[in-house]
Every structure is written in structure tokens, then in C-alpha cells.
Amino acid sequence: MNVLIYTTPTCPYCNMAKDFFKSKNVEYKEINVAADENAAKEMVDKSHQMGVPVVDINGTIIVGFNRPEMEKALGL
Amino acid sequence: MIYDLIIVGGGPAGIAAGIYAARKKIKTLLITDSFGGQSITSADVQNFIGIKSISGWELAKKLEEHLRNFEGESIEILDFDKVSKIKKKNGNFLVFTESVKSFESKTILMACGSRRRKLGVPGEKEFDGKGVAYCSTCDAPIFKNKIVAVVGGGNAGLESVIDLSPYAKEIYLLEYAEEVKGDPITIEKIAENPKVKIITMVEVLEVLGKDSVTGIKYKDRKNNEIKELPLEGIFIEIGWVPNSGIINGLVSLNKKNEIIVDHKTQVSSLPGIWAAGDIADVLYKQNNISMGDAIKAVLNIYDYLKKKKD
């Protein structure tokens, strides 16, 4: 399972998504797009939009903190 | 199993109500999709009494933690869920959730606040996430070196300007009325910033764009001229709409769709249902006020339940 989350440090919905992963013991890699312009571009290319969080679960792209979609992609 | 009270919502009102209900040993269920309410997107809350400065997210965590401290015997918490409908049943109420659960309760406290108001102009939906944004705390860094506008000159709009200041190249603050309405302390702060231009008497007519936002078309209400402003991003902060749809038909609402309450007790037009916080017809929408109003409601619910038993 390859889980990425694109975030900004001040985004509460990013924190909610990370808390959700933690509560399900899902390991994830966090990419702070505020600190890395290339990562921000990668996120926009992947999700075709400019809002955080963006979650990439094995290639399934989910925009925003969307618990049902995240559960589906994780097979929970 | 019949609850004494179901609290709908987990913002400051819902949490304050939950804590008081638990301490009164009222058999309570609190249903919410998240904790902390609208302030979670605020970068810095400076008017929460007793705390000099705290981010909205940290404040939400503190509020949730305080509530969870009472979780168990008297108060149960159903989170990551949302109430979808409330119906009457033999003097009690049935509460349905989006995850297709249902619960019965003797009383209800509506504390599920409000949601962001949209502009409702052409292009807004089409370019949502493609330049149109609603959370500057979240997305400001993605607009680095871009020309952006904030629509709405209330406190939320002013805060958005502050969130964007370290990143955006130019920031227009667009206000419909003759002057911006936020707190003077915040207005002074942004007026000093050379990046910021304030334009008042602006009625946004359309969000323009191709693949993403390229600008807006607006009416200059000073002379009724139609103008265009080239932009790469638009943050919309034009207020909130109450989440009263789930209770429509049961209680009286005012023209703004707020639940009309008796301001002594917070009871609605229907005995058994109370409302507090931004969903109620309170004049001032504030965290501190929401909590106090919710506490009033719970104390009144306690008296009501006791009388019902006698």
C-alpha cells in the first residue's frame, strides 16, 4: 500500500485526514506543498485542482478529507 | 433505547452542551462529522476567552478533548457521521444519519451551525478548485506569486487577506457595501500592506476562465459600470448559511433560515427542540456566545426532562 498526502502546514482538513490514517494504523508519506513548489505542481497535475489535502492511495486520487472514499481506496 | 437528549453538531455549541449534559447525567448522544465548527480554518483565534492566541485547529482539538473526557456512561459520541433528517414519533423524535443509522430521543438540541455561502454566479462551480477557493488557511501557499482576490470584507475576508499576504503577488479585497465591515484592528493591519488593494461597491457577476480562473466580471456599484479584473485566484468569504434543512417543517425559521428561539431558554417553536449557536436566530455569531447559549439550552432541557418525569 502506497499512501501519499499533499498538505499545507495550516490546513485543518489535512490534519483530519492524517488523524484518520493514524486511527486506522495506515502508514503515509506527507508532502508539504507550501515548502516545495515542484510538489505543489505535481499535486495540481495529479488532481487537476489547487486545493489541499490531496490523498493518493495506490494511484487513486482523492481531493479533500473524504472519509468514505478513503475507506474504499484502503479497502476498509 | 431512548436517549434523553441528542445533540446535533460538534462545534463550540455542541461541545459545551455535551459537557454540561454529561455533568447533569442526562442520557445524551452527540452526532457530528467533525469537531470545532467554523473556526477550524482560522489561522489564529485571539478572542477565545482565556486563551490569548490559538489556531482554530488546536482549539478544536482542545474542545474535543474536553468533551471526550466525559465520554462514556452519560454521553455517547457518534463522529464522522451527520444527521440527515429529524422526524416526530409519539412525543419523541427520530434522528436519521447519513450512514443510515437512526436513534430515538426525548429532546433535541440543534447545534449544527452553518455552511459557507457561495456567490452563486456563473463560473463559480466550474472553476471550484481551479482558482476558486474557500479556505485560505488551507490553500494560500498554492497561490504563491499569483494575483488573487478575496470576495467579502467581513472578518473572515480580512483574515483571508492576511493568510494570503506571505504568498500572493497582489491581493484585491472586494466588498459589496460602501466599506469593509471587519474589526478595526484587522483592517488597520491589512491597510498597511502595499500588496493589498481594497475595492468597495463591487457586485461580482461572473468568474471568468479557461482551464482555470483568469478573472472576474463585476459591476461597479458606484456608477453601474461593468468591469473585468484579471486574476489567478478568488477566495470567497461572503458569510454562512444555516444548516437548518434537516429540521425544515418541524420548527419555525426566520427569513435567513435560522431557527427562531426564545432567547431566555433557546427553545424553538416546537417543545422538545432547542437550538444554539449559528443555526439559531442569534444576532451575533461568536464562539463564546454559542457556548453560553448552548449551556442555557441544556440547563433548560434538564428542567424540562425533570418536569416530564414528575
Side-chain angles (χ1 to χ4, degrees):
Chain A
M1 185 79 64
N2 191 10
V3 180
L4 294 176
I5 178 166
Y6 295 87
T7 64
T8 60
T10 48
C11 154
Y13 305 106
C14 303
N15 290 336
M16 282 183 200
K18 288 190 285 179
D19 279 357
F20 174 72
F21 285 140
K22 281 176 207 153
S23 75
K24 300 289 174 189
N25 292 317
V26 173
E27 281 189 36
Y28 60 86
K29 187 180 165 209
E30 181 174 4
I31 302 167
N32 175 3
V33 300
D36 182 346
E37 269 179 72
N38 288 330
K41 204 177 159 293
E42 180 184 292
M43 183 198 86
V44 174
D45 288 344
K46 267 191 191 180
S47 67
H48 309 292
Q49 59 85 53
M50 301 163 80
V52 284
V54 169
V55 174
D56 178 343
I57 301 172
N58 283 338
T60 301
I61 307 296
I62 301 160
V63 176
F65 172 50
N66 186 329
R67 191 189 181 206
E69 289 294 316
M70 283 160 75
E71 282 177 342
K72 212 163 80 185
L74 290 166
L76 295 171
Chain B
M1 154 92 178
I2 299 173
Y3 290 97
D4 286 330
L5 167 63
I6 289 181
I7 299 170
V8 184
I15 288 170
I19 291 167
Y20 268 67
R23 289 173 56 83
K24 287 278 184 197
K25 295 207 174 262
I26 298 170
K27 185 86 196 126
T28 302
L29 172 67
L30 185 145
I31 305 171
T32 188
D33 60 343
S34 63
F35 293 95
Q38 295 161 27
S39 295
I40 55 164
T41 60
S42 180
D44 188 12
V45 179
Q46 298 185 348
N47 61 5
F48 198 92
I49 306 308
I51 303 174
K52 274 185 273 184
S53 165
I54 189 168
S55 76
W57 171 251
E58 282 174 85
L59 179 61
K61 281 274 157 199
K62 272 189 186 292
L63 292 170
E64 180 185 350
E65 193 189 334
H66 194 176
L67 175 71
R68 294 263 186 213
N69 191 38
F70 293 95
E71 188 176 8
E73 208 182 312
S74 299
I75 184 157
E76 293 169 39
I77 299 169
L78 174 62
D79 59 355
F80 296 119
D81 205 349
K82 215 172 178 177
V83 172
S84 54
K85 193 77 206 156
I86 297 171
K87 283 184 185 167
K88 279 204 254 188
K89 188 201 169 188
N90 309 328
N92 290 338
F93 300 97
L94 275 181
V95 174
F96 301 87
T97 73
E98 283 183 354
S99 65
V100 214
K101 295 187 179 103
S102 70
F103 306 95
E104 188 170 348
S105 180
K106 292 176 194 162
T107 65
I108 304 281
L109 173 61
M110 294 296 292
C112 50
S114 49
R115 60 185 183 279
R116 283 172 186 281
R117 183 187 297 281
K118 305 251 164 120
L119 274 170
V121 300
E124 180 184 21
K125 208 172 162 193
E126 196 184 339
F127 296 108
D128 186 349
K130 297 178 165 64
V132 174
Y134 298 89
C135 178
S136 56
T137 322
C138 309
D139 301 333
I142 300 159
F143 290 80
K144 201 170 177 185
N145 296 323
K146 295 199 190 299
I147 304 169
V148 300
V150 173
V151 183
N155 277 325
L158 300 178
E159 275 189 40
S160 279
V161 171
I162 291 169
D163 290 340
L164 285 159
S165 293
Y167 302 104
K169 189 161 69 184
E170 278 175 65
I171 307 163
Y172 292 92
L173 177 62
L174 309 177
E175 164 60 39
Y176 183 85
E178 270 176 66
E179 50 185 60
V180 293
K181 294 179 288 258
D183 290 339
I185 191 168
T186 322
I187 297 173
E188 281 166 23
K189 204 164 155 188
I190 70 162
E192 290 166 5
N193 186 339
K195 277 186 189 176
V196 180
K197 289 191 191 78
I198 299 173
I199 312 178
T200 58
M201 301 283 277
V202 171
E203 183 183 350
V204 178
L205 300 175
E206 190 178 345
V207 176
L208 308 169
K210 257 186 144 180
D211 299 325
S212 60
V213 166
T214 57
I216 54 159
K217 191 191 277 182
Y218 72 95
K219 184 162 90 180
D220 183 340
R221 299 175 61 238
K222 287 188 275 282
N223 48 26
N224 287 329
E225 268 177 44
I226 307 295
K227 294 178 177 170
E228 281 186 21
L229 185 63
L231 295 169
E232 295 165 284
I234 303 163
F235 285 79
I236 297 167
E237 287 290 354
I238 51 168
W240 300 78
V241 198
N243 290 320
S244 55
I246 52 174
I247 200 135
N248 200 3
L250 280 185
V251 299
S252 301
L253 306 178
N254 68 9
K255 274 187 195 155
K256 295 184 203 162
N257 283 326
E258 295 162 339
I259 299 172
I260 299 171
V261 298
D262 170 353
H263 291 276
K264 259 188 188 168
T265 60
Q266 302 294 128
V267 73
S268 74
S269 61
L270 181 67
I273 297 184
W274 284 254
D278 287 9
I279 198 172
D281 64 338
V282 284
L283 187 51
Y284 304 109
K285 315 289 193 200
Q286 295 289 321
N287 285 329
N288 296 292
I289 293 175
S290 295
M291 292 189 297
D293 282 351
I295 292 163
K296 269 197 293 187
V298 169
L299 296 177
N300 194 240
I301 289 165
Y302 180 71
D303 290 344
Y304 172 92
L305 288 167
K306 227 166 108 187
K307 242 183 240 163
K308 227 183 167 185
K309 223 188 256 170
D310 293 341

PDB file of all heavy atoms in Angstrom, chain A residues 34-58:
ATOM      1  N   ALA A  34       3.556  23.655   0.568  1.00  0.00           N
ATOM      2  CA  ALA A  34       3.910  25.053   0.864  1.00  0.00           C
ATOM      3  C   ALA A  34       5.430  25.235   0.796  1.00  0.00           C
ATOM      4  O   ALA A  34       5.919  26.315   0.480  1.00  0.00           O
ATOM      5  CB  ALA A  34       3.397  25.449   2.240  1.00  0.00           C
ATOM      6  N   ALA A  35       6.167  24.168   1.093  1.00  0.00           N
ATOM      7  CA  ALA A  35       7.627  24.262   1.144  1.00  0.00           C
ATOM      8  C   ALA A  35       8.278  23.821  -0.166  1.00  0.00           C
ATOM      9  O   ALA A  35       9.480  23.986  -0.335  1.00  0.00           O
ATOM     10  CB  ALA A  35       8.149  23.405   2.296  1.00  0.00           C
ATOM     11  N   ASP A  36       7.525  23.255  -1.074  1.00  0.00           N
ATOM     12  CA  ASP A  36       8.115  22.642  -2.256  1.00  0.00           C
ATOM     13  C   ASP A  36       7.235  22.920  -3.483  1.00  0.00           C
ATOM     14  O   ASP A  36       6.195  22.291  -3.672  1.00  0.00           O
ATOM     15  CB  ASP A  36       8.238  21.126  -1.993  1.00  0.00           C
ATOM     16  CG  ASP A  36       8.884  20.385  -3.149  1.00  0.00           C
ATOM     17  OD1 ASP A  36       9.011  20.963  -4.247  1.00  0.00           O
ATOM     18  OD2 ASP A  36       9.260  19.213  -2.938  1.00  0.00           O
ATOM     19  N   GLU A  37       7.675  23.877  -4.306  1.00  0.00           N
ATOM     20  CA  GLU A  37       6.854  24.283  -5.450  1.00  0.00           C
ATOM     21  C   GLU A  37       6.670  23.164  -6.476  1.00  0.00           C
ATOM     22  O   GLU A  37       5.626  23.062  -7.120  1.00  0.00           O
ATOM     23  CB  GLU A  37       7.467  25.510  -6.125  1.00  0.00           C
ATOM     24  CG  GLU A  37       6.904  26.801  -5.549  1.00  0.00           C
ATOM     25  CD  GLU A  37       7.527  28.028  -6.196  1.00  0.00           C
ATOM     26  OE1 GLU A  37       7.204  28.292  -7.354  1.00  0.00           O
ATOM     27  OE2 GLU A  37       8.336  28.687  -5.520  1.00  0.00           O
ATOM     28  N   ASN A  38       7.707  22.326  -6.643  1.00  0.00           N
ATOM     29  CA  ASN A  38       7.577  21.206  -7.576  1.00  0.00           C
ATOM     30  C   ASN A  38       6.517  20.219  -7.103  1.00  0.00           C
ATOM     31  O   ASN A  38       5.751  19.682  -7.909  1.00  0.00           O
ATOM     32  CB  ASN A  38       8.919  20.480  -7.740  1.00  0.00           C
ATOM     33  CG  ASN A  38       9.906  21.322  -8.536  1.00  0.00           C
ATOM     34  OD1 ASN A  38       9.508  22.110  -9.400  1.00  0.00           O
ATOM     35  ND2 ASN A  38      11.179  21.179  -8.222  1.00  0.00           N
ATOM     36  N   ALA A  39       6.480  20.011  -5.810  1.00  0.00           N
ATOM     37  CA  ALA A  39       5.466  19.113  -5.235  1.00  0.00           C
ATOM     38  C   ALA A  39       4.070  19.698  -5.422  1.00  0.00           C
ATOM     39  O   ALA A  39       3.114  18.976  -5.702  1.00  0.00           O
ATOM     40  CB  ALA A  39       5.740  18.873  -3.761  1.00  0.00           C
ATOM     41  N   ALA A  40       3.974  21.035  -5.287  1.00  0.00           N
ATOM     42  CA  ALA A  40       2.680  21.695  -5.497  1.00  0.00           C
ATOM     43  C   ALA A  40       2.212  21.479  -6.936  1.00  0.00           C
ATOM     44  O   ALA A  40       1.042  21.198  -7.194  1.00  0.00           O
ATOM     45  CB  ALA A  40       2.794  23.184  -5.189  1.00  0.00           C
ATOM     46  N   LYS A  41       3.148  21.589  -7.874  1.00  0.00           N
ATOM     47  CA  LYS A  41       2.813  21.403  -9.291  1.00  0.00           C
ATOM     48  C   LYS A  41       2.378  19.948  -9.542  1.00  0.00           C
ATOM     49  O   LYS A  41       1.406  19.694 -10.260  1.00  0.00           O
ATOM     50  CB  LYS A  41       4.034  21.756 -10.154  1.00  0.00           C
ATOM     51  CG  LYS A  41       3.668  22.158 -11.560  1.00  0.00           C
ATOM     52  CD  LYS A  41       4.874  22.568 -12.389  1.00  0.00           C
ATOM     53  CE  LYS A  41       4.544  22.460 -13.871  1.00  0.00           C
ATOM     54  NZ  LYS A  41       4.321  21.087 -14.320  1.00  0.00           N
ATOM     55  N   GLU A  42       3.124  19.037  -8.935  1.00  0.00           N
ATOM     56  CA  GLU A  42       2.797  17.605  -9.067  1.00  0.00           C
ATOM     57  C   GLU A  42       1.379  17.331  -8.552  1.00  0.00           C
ATOM     58  O   GLU A  42       0.611  16.599  -9.185  1.00  0.00           O
ATOM     59  CB  GLU A  42       3.833  16.821  -8.241  1.00  0.00           C
ATOM     60  CG  GLU A  42       3.669  15.322  -8.249  1.00  0.00           C
ATOM     61  CD  GLU A  42       4.701  14.681  -7.306  1.00  0.00           C
ATOM     62  OE1 GLU A  42       5.911  14.737  -7.638  1.00  0.00           O
ATOM     63  OE2 GLU A  42       4.297  14.147  -6.259  1.00  0.00           O
ATOM     64  N   MET A  43       1.046  17.983  -7.426  1.00  0.00           N
ATOM     65  CA  MET A  43      -0.286  17.791  -6.846  1.00  0.00           C
ATOM     66  C   MET A  43      -1.377  18.321  -7.780  1.00  0.00           C
ATOM     67  O   MET A  43      -2.402  17.673  -7.994  1.00  0.00           O
ATOM     68  CB  MET A  43      -0.361  18.502  -5.492  1.00  0.00           C
ATOM     69  CG  MET A  43      -1.681  18.309  -4.786  1.00  0.00           C
ATOM     70  SD  MET A  43      -1.942  19.531  -3.496  1.00  0.00           S
ATOM     71  CE  MET A  43      -2.662  20.873  -4.429  1.00  0.00           C
ATOM     72  N   VAL A  44      -1.134  19.509  -8.358  1.00  0.00           N
ATOM     73  CA  VAL A  44      -2.116  20.097  -9.277  1.00  0.00           C
ATOM     74  C   VAL A  44      -2.257  19.215 -10.519  1.00  0.00           C
ATOM     75  O   VAL A  44      -3.372  18.958 -10.989  1.00  0.00           O
ATOM     76  CB  VAL A  44      -1.714  21.542  -9.655  1.00  0.00           C
ATOM     77  CG1 VAL A  44      -2.647  22.097 -10.727  1.00  0.00           C
ATOM     78  CG2 VAL A  44      -1.728  22.442  -8.422  1.00  0.00           C
ATOM     79  N   ASP A  45      -1.137  18.697 -11.039  1.00  0.00           N
ATOM     80  CA  ASP A  45      -1.188  17.811 -12.209  1.00  0.00           C
ATOM     81  C   ASP A  45      -1.975  16.536 -11.923  1.00  0.00           C
ATOM     82  O   ASP A  45      -2.765  16.079 -12.745  1.00  0.00           O
ATOM     83  CB  ASP A  45       0.238  17.421 -12.656  1.00  0.00           C
ATOM     84  CG  ASP A  45       0.955  18.602 -13.313  1.00  0.00           C
ATOM     85  OD1 ASP A  45       0.261  19.565 -13.686  1.00  0.00           O
ATOM     86  OD2 ASP A  45       2.188  18.553 -13.436  1.00  0.00           O
ATOM     87  N   LYS A  46      -1.749  15.981 -10.746  1.00  0.00           N
ATOM     88  CA  LYS A  46      -2.411  14.714 -10.384  1.00  0.00           C
ATOM     89  C   LYS A  46      -3.905  14.892 -10.171  1.00  0.00           C
ATOM     90  O   LYS A  46      -4.700  14.042 -10.549  1.00  0.00           O
ATOM     91  CB  LYS A  46      -1.820  14.184  -9.069  1.00  0.00           C
ATOM     92  CG  LYS A  46      -0.680  13.220  -9.218  1.00  0.00           C
ATOM     93  CD  LYS A  46      -0.404  12.595  -7.858  1.00  0.00           C
ATOM     94  CE  LYS A  46       0.898  11.813  -7.900  1.00  0.00           C
ATOM     95  NZ  LYS A  46       1.193  11.202  -6.592  1.00  0.00           N
ATOM     96  N   SER A  47      -4.279  16.025  -9.516  1.00  0.00           N
ATOM     97  CA  SER A  47      -5.668  16.164  -9.065  1.00  0.00           C
ATOM     98  C   SER A  47      -6.473  17.136  -9.928  1.00  0.00           C
ATOM     99  O   SER A  47      -7.679  17.263  -9.737  1.00  0.00           O
ATOM    100  CB  SER A  47      -5.695  16.644  -7.606  1.00  0.00           C
ATOM    101  OG  SER A  47      -5.184  17.964  -7.510  1.00  0.00           O
ATOM    102  N   HIS A  48      -5.799  17.813 -10.852  1.00  0.00           N
ATOM    103  CA  HIS A  48      -6.450  18.811 -11.721  1.00  0.00           C
ATOM    104  C   HIS A  48      -7.153  19.891 -10.929  1.00  0.00           C
ATOM    105  O   HIS A  48      -8.179  20.431 -11.359  1.00  0.00           O
ATOM    106  CB  HIS A  48      -7.420  18.132 -12.700  1.00  0.00           C
ATOM    107  CG  HIS A  48      -6.799  17.005 -13.442  1.00  0.00           C
ATOM    108  ND1 HIS A  48      -5.808  17.186 -14.387  1.00  0.00           N
ATOM    109  CD2 HIS A  48      -6.981  15.666 -13.347  1.00  0.00           C
ATOM    110  CE1 HIS A  48      -5.425  16.008 -14.849  1.00  0.00           C
ATOM    111  NE2 HIS A  48      -6.119  15.062 -14.227  1.00  0.00           N
ATOM    112  N   GLN A  49      -6.645  20.202  -9.755  1.00  0.00           N
ATOM    113  CA  GLN A  49      -7.203  21.297  -8.961  1.00  0.00           C
ATOM    114  C   GLN A  49      -6.146  21.774  -7.972  1.00  0.00           C
ATOM    115  O   GLN A  49      -5.089  21.174  -7.850  1.00  0.00           O
ATOM    116  CB  GLN A  49      -8.518  20.886  -8.281  1.00  0.00           C
ATOM    117  CG  GLN A  49      -8.389  19.701  -7.341  1.00  0.00           C
ATOM    118  CD  GLN A  49      -7.945  20.122  -5.970  1.00  0.00           C
ATOM    119  OE1 GLN A  49      -8.546  20.995  -5.368  1.00  0.00           O
ATOM    120  NE2 GLN A  49      -6.884  19.528  -5.462  1.00  0.00           N
ATOM    121  N   MET A  50      -6.455  22.871  -7.261  1.00  0.00           N
ATOM    122  CA  MET A  50      -5.429  23.566  -6.475  1.00  0.00           C
ATOM    123  C   MET A  50      -5.695  23.582  -4.980  1.00  0.00           C
ATOM    124  O   MET A  50      -5.194  24.437  -4.268  1.00  0.00           O
ATOM    125  CB  MET A  50      -5.322  25.018  -6.977  1.00  0.00           C
ATOM    126  CG  MET A  50      -4.964  25.119  -8.439  1.00  0.00           C
ATOM    127  SD  MET A  50      -5.326  26.755  -9.102  1.00  0.00           S
ATOM    128  CE  MET A  50      -3.908  27.650  -8.514  1.00  0.00           C
ATOM    129  N   GLY A  51      -6.504  22.653  -4.489  1.00  0.00           N
ATOM    130  CA  GLY A  51      -6.808  22.650  -3.046  1.00  0.00           C
ATOM    131  C   GLY A  51      -6.176  21.468  -2.325  1.00  0.00           C
ATOM    132  O   GLY A  51      -6.004  20.401  -2.913  1.00  0.00           O
ATOM    133  N   VAL A  52      -5.806  21.680  -1.057  1.00  0.00           N
ATOM    134  CA  VAL A  52      -5.320  20.587  -0.218  1.00  0.00           C
ATOM    135  C   VAL A  52      -6.405  20.183   0.783  1.00  0.00           C
ATOM    136  O   VAL A  52      -7.276  21.004   1.061  1.00  0.00           O
ATOM    137  CB  VAL A  52      -4.030  20.991   0.559  1.00  0.00           C
ATOM    138  CG1 VAL A  52      -2.844  20.998  -0.340  1.00  0.00           C
ATOM    139  CG2 VAL A  52      -4.217  22.297   1.290  1.00  0.00           C
ATOM    140  N   PRO A  53      -6.383  18.987   1.353  1.00  0.00           N
ATOM    141  CA  PRO A  53      -5.425  17.922   1.046  1.00  0.00           C
ATOM    142  C   PRO A  53      -5.761  17.177  -0.245  1.00  0.00           C
ATOM    143  O   PRO A  53      -6.915  17.146  -0.651  1.00  0.00           O
ATOM    144  CB  PRO A  53      -5.602  16.967   2.232  1.00  0.00           C
ATOM    145  CG  PRO A  53      -7.031  17.136   2.651  1.00  0.00           C
ATOM    146  CD  PRO A  53      -7.348  18.579   2.392  1.00  0.00           C
ATOM    147  N   VAL A  54      -4.717  16.601  -0.844  1.00  0.00           N
ATOM    148  CA  VAL A  54      -4.916  15.613  -1.898  1.00  0.00           C
ATOM    149  C   VAL A  54      -4.300  14.318  -1.391  1.00  0.00           C
ATOM    150  O   VAL A  54      -3.177  14.307  -0.906  1.00  0.00           O
ATOM    151  CB  VAL A  54      -4.258  16.049  -3.221  1.00  0.00           C
ATOM    152  CG1 VAL A  54      -4.249  14.899  -4.219  1.00  0.00           C
ATOM    153  CG2 VAL A  54      -4.989  17.254  -3.804  1.00  0.00           C
ATOM    154  N   VAL A  55      -5.083  13.239  -1.465  1.00  0.00           N
ATOM    155  CA  VAL A  55      -4.618  11.935  -0.996  1.00  0.00           C
ATOM    156  C   VAL A  55      -4.441  11.034  -2.212  1.00  0.00           C
ATOM    157  O   VAL A  55      -5.291  11.020  -3.106  1.00  0.00           O
ATOM    158  CB  VAL A  55      -5.648  11.324  -0.004  1.00  0.00           C
ATOM    159  CG1 VAL A  55      -5.246   9.914   0.368  1.00  0.00           C
ATOM    160  CG2 VAL A  55      -5.769  12.193   1.236  1.00  0.00           C
ATOM    161  N   ASP A  56      -3.311  10.344  -2.249  1.00  0.00           N
ATOM    162  CA  ASP A  56      -3.029   9.392  -3.337  1.00  0.00           C
ATOM    163  C   ASP A  56      -2.858   8.019  -2.691  1.00  0.00           C
ATOM    164  O   ASP A  56      -1.871   7.768  -2.008  1.00  0.00           O
ATOM    165  CB  ASP A  56      -1.747   9.840  -4.064  1.00  0.00           C
ATOM    166  CG  ASP A  56      -1.358   8.867  -5.172  1.00  0.00           C
ATOM    167  OD1 ASP A  56      -1.854   7.726  -5.187  1.00  0.00           O
ATOM    168  OD2 ASP A  56      -0.531   9.258  -6.029  1.00  0.00           O
ATOM    169  N   ILE A  57      -3.862   7.158  -2.860  1.00  0.00           N
ATOM    170  CA  ILE A  57      -3.801   5.803  -2.299  1.00  0.00           C
ATOM    171  C   ILE A  57      -3.645   4.828  -3.454  1.00  0.00           C
ATOM    172  O   ILE A  57      -4.602   4.592  -4.203  1.00  0.00           O
ATOM    173  CB  ILE A  57      -5.059   5.482  -1.457  1.00  0.00           C
ATOM    174  CG1 ILE A  57      -5.195   6.484  -0.297  1.00  0.00           C
ATOM    175  CG2 ILE A  57      -5.003   4.037  -0.929  1.00  0.00           C
ATOM    176  CD1 ILE A  57      -6.490   6.377   0.487  1.00  0.00           C
ATOM    177  N   ASN A  58      -2.456   4.318  -3.631  1.00  0.00           N
ATOM    178  CA  ASN A  58      -2.151   3.416  -4.754  1.00  0.00           C
ATOM    179  C   ASN A  58      -2.644   3.959  -6.093  1.00  0.00           C
ATOM    180  O   ASN A  58      -3.186   3.213  -6.909  1.00  0.00           O
ATOM    181  CB  ASN A  58      -2.782   2.032  -4.520  1.00  0.00           C
ATOM    182  CG  ASN A  58      -1.996   1.226  -3.522  1.00  0.00           C
ATOM    183  OD1 ASN A  58      -0.808   1.481  -3.296  1.00  0.00           O
ATOM    184  ND2 ASN A  58      -2.644   0.246  -2.917  1.00  0.00           N
TER     185      ASN A  58
END
